[in-house]
Amino acid sequence: MSVPQHELFIDGRRVPSAPQDRFDAVNPYTGLPHASVPRATPAQVDAAVAAARSAFPAWRAMPPVRRADMIRALADLLEADGDRMGDLESTDNGKVVRETRAQMRFAARQYRYFANLSENLQGATIPLDDPSLVDMTHAEPLGVCVLITAWNSPMGLLSNKLAPALAAGNTVVIKPSEHASVTTLEFMNLVERAGFPPGVVNVVTGEADVGRALTDRDDIAKISFTGSPGVGAAIAAVAGANLVPLTLELGGKSPNIIFADADLDAALSGAFAGIFAATGQTCVAGSRLLVERSVYDEVCTALAERSRTIRLGDPTVVETEMGTCANRQQYDRVLGHIEAARKDGARLIAGGGPAEDLQPGLFVQPTIFADVTPDMQLAQEEVFGPVLAVMPFDDEQHAVRIANDTRYGLAAGVWTRSIDRALRMTRELRAGTVWVNTYRAVAVQAPFGGFGHSGHGRERGTVALQDYLTTKNVMIDIGGATRDPFALRT
């Protein structure tokens, strides 16, 4: 059976690939190929960077209102095509359409938000000690930005990067994960229809060698990467050697903390949203559930019972609540973590293996381990799957110690009716985002990023735009008096 053939997008056109330079995109629900994806050659990577460099002078010089119009047009096109694009992403990575369709709408909102910021880029005038000097700043784009996204939310993650990069006046080369490239390649049809000049947006696809060819170079101005800490560290090493700034959005082992005074029904829903939504394949997954000891048994029992009601099935069906692991490699990795938790002595209270009745789909049962201790692998390593580690705590200080006892620091949740406790906890938790009485809530205005092995830099919000700009200072002498050429002016 033939499948759609996608091509690279370089300098405003599709670049055909030879048969040996292609690979299959596999539907993780059916196990069958659903598209053919190109594998970029080193020469094609060079061509994409060259196209972006060539397009940069005209793009940066374009009036911001014209750039903003194109970005808004892209938002309109994506929103209009959101259901189809969501269905395609669910086919590509196994995430349920109730989430992927919502992510398309969120991405469109993000493009509109940054289009508005693009029209309002401003410098400043700075009063100096010497009144004969006038000082001002200009906010200027960096140049060619390399944007690398992960397989769990390709279009959502891309909007975190592409929207501020374009709004700031940069040109880009995008590399999506080889495990989920199809929607990014399809998105280029919308980029073309929105009227972006050739070379402003380019896409190359392929495995790790394409990523290395794209990042280990000194003719780019910025790298923004979302993915694993190991790959992030490798990119940081070459970026440092080439003096290229970067934003890293990496993994997490986020604590979701339930106090005894919480609204337990709401907290249980938040716990489920934190780990079983998106099949746990999200960097902010609340994979460690910390529960105050006085309600610990009650919460564990309720979690186990509710987990058995989750509807697994075809990700493209709206009624499905949890889809597949995105690829075979991740499926095997999740099952390996489950086996390790058994060996470490964690108490299995729900799930614990493949959903065999749904094979060949890459389904893992919603899995919950209780009595997990902080030293266990399940408490320290990111699983990136539907596996929850439940841990008891005695008081606030104990909860904070457990919560902060990882190398990660991406997100955290706190469930309590006490505003005093909530404020204390948000101050003590080492995480880039802390939710109180909610979880996995997002907004385009709210900055997102982490500490430690969760990366550095921020996406979304006005702070994200600053990461794609540099500041130029301009100083003008309006005094006209003769100065001592050998004296420092202050």
Side-chain angles (χ1 to χ4, degrees):
M1 181 180 67
S2 62
V3 296
Q5 306 280 305
H6 294 276
E7 301 295 354
L8 305 174
F9 190 75
I10 299 173
D11 204 18
R13 62 187 182 87
R14 275 100 188 138
V15 178
S17 300
Q20 67 270 20
D21 292 328
R22 306 193 68 85
F23 59 97
D24 289 333
V26 177
N27 181 335
Y29 175 63
T30 65
L32 300 174
H34 74 95
S36 175
V37 177
R39 182 183 291 108
T41 65
Q44 288 169 331
V45 171
D46 290 344
V49 173
R53 285 174 60 84
S54 179
F56 175 64
W59 180 247
R60 70 170 290 186
M62 183 178 291
V65 65
R66 288 185 56 200
R67 290 202 302 263
D69 286 344
M70 291 180 207
I71 298 170
R72 289 194 190 95
L74 184 60
D76 292 344
L77 290 165
L78 178 58
E79 188 168 66
D81 206 21
D83 284 356
R84 185 187 70 87
M85 288 289 285
D87 292 353
L88 184 59
E89 190 146 292
S90 293
T91 301
D92 207 25
N93 72 354
K95 182 177 284 191
V96 294
V97 292
R98 60 172 66 189
E99 174 140 352
T100 55
R101 291 177 181 178
Q103 285 183 323
M104 300 304 160
R105 293 191 294 272
F106 182 82
R109 173 71 179 97
Q110 189 143 235
Y111 289 114
R112 291 193 183 100
Y113 175 78
F114 281 100
N116 292 337
L117 292 183
S118 178
E119 291 181 322
N120 290 281
L121 285 175
Q122 297 179 359
T125 57
I126 304 172
L128 303 182
D129 295 344
D130 184 344
S132 67
L133 294 175
V134 172
D135 197 79
M136 66 187 74
T137 62
H138 299 311
E140 299 194 351
L142 299 171
V144 177
C145 298
V146 170
L147 313 179
I148 303 178
T149 58
W151 45 258
N152 57 318
S153 298
M155 292 300 296
L157 296 174
L158 179 60
S159 70
N160 287 345
K161 306 173 189 301
L162 182 60
L166 293 176
N170 300 287
T171 55
V172 304
V173 181
I174 302 163
K175 185 204 173 293
S177 167
E178 65 270 27
H179 296 297
S181 300
V182 173
T183 47
T184 302
L185 291 167
E186 188 74 10
F187 184 59
M188 292 306 102
N189 293 325
L190 306 185
V191 168
E192 197 171 27
R193 289 169 58 192
F196 287 88
V200 172
V201 182
N202 306 272
V203 177
V204 293
T205 50
E207 291 89 353
D209 59 326
V210 175
R212 285 191 292 269
L214 195 53
T215 55
D216 190 3
R217 56 195 311 141
D218 61 7
D219 57 349
I220 55 177
K222 179 181 174 65
I223 301 169
S224 179
F225 169 79
T226 298
S228 70
V231 177
I235 290 174
V238 298
N242 292 315
L243 298 179
V244 174
L246 75 165
T247 297
L248 296 175
E249 200 271 281
L250 307 177
K253 195 65 187 174
S254 300
N256 208 352
I257 305 166
I258 299 177
F259 286 93
D261 70 341
D263 178 335
L264 290 186
D265 284 340
L268 285 168
S269 294
F272 267 66
I275 191 61
F276 297 129
T279 319
Q281 296 174 134
T282 172
C283 51
V284 297
S287 54
R288 292 183 297 148
L289 187 67
L290 281 55
V291 183
E292 193 164 5
R293 200 175 296 275
S294 61
V295 293
Y296 180 76
D297 290 339
E298 177 185 353
V299 168
C300 285
T301 298
L303 285 169
E305 290 176 353
R306 189 177 294 191
S307 71
R308 298 182 184 100
T309 69
I310 297 175
R311 293 193 296 271
L312 279 64
D314 185 345
T316 63
V317 173
V318 174
E319 290 73 23
T320 299
E321 295 175 327
M322 199 178 95
T324 67
C325 291
N327 52 75
R328 174 65 64 175
Q329 177 182 330
Q330 186 61 23
Y331 173 79
D332 292 340
R333 185 173 182 273
V334 172
L335 294 179
H337 277 288
I338 291 174
E339 184 59 29
R342 293 177 191 270
K343 291 179 179 177
D344 283 346
R347 178 166 61 95
L348 181 67
I349 62 173
E356 295 180 350
D357 57 324
L358 292 172
Q359 291 182 347
L362 301 178
F363 289 95
V364 174
Q365 297 170 335
T367 296
I368 305 172
F369 284 96
D371 305 343
V372 176
T373 58
D375 60 320
M376 290 183 182
Q377 176 180 309
L378 192 62
Q380 293 295 324
E381 295 189 14
E382 185 178 40
V383 176
F384 221 66
V387 183
L388 181 63
V390 190
M391 313 167 73
F393 68 86
D394 298 314
D395 53 32
E396 283 183 35
Q397 292 73 27
H398 190 201
V400 169
R401 285 199 305 273
I402 296 172
N404 290 343
D405 184 25
T406 78
R407 59 184 179 172
Y408 297 104
L410 190 56
V414 177
W415 299 86
T416 179
R417 287 188 171 97
S418 168
I419 186 63
D420 294 342
R421 172 179 288 130
L423 290 173
R424 287 193 298 268
M425 292 296 291
T426 59
R427 184 178 296 130
E428 296 297 326
L429 290 169
R430 185 162 174 77
T433 294
V434 180
W435 288 291
V436 177
N437 295 332
T438 187
Y439 206 89
R440 288 191 79 220
V442 296
V444 297
Q445 303 91 340
F448 174 72
F451 305 146
H453 281 233
S454 290
H456 60 255
R458 293 296 181 267
E459 299 185 314
R460 304 183 194 138
T462 57
V463 66
L465 187 64
Q466 296 306 312
D467 280 351
Y468 289 91
L469 292 165
T470 190
T471 299
K472 177 185 287 182
N473 193 80
V474 177
M475 192 178 292
I476 304 172
D477 187 340
I478 62 171
T482 302
R483 305 292 181 181
D484 181 352
F486 300 104
L488 178 68
R489 295 195 59 185
T490 61

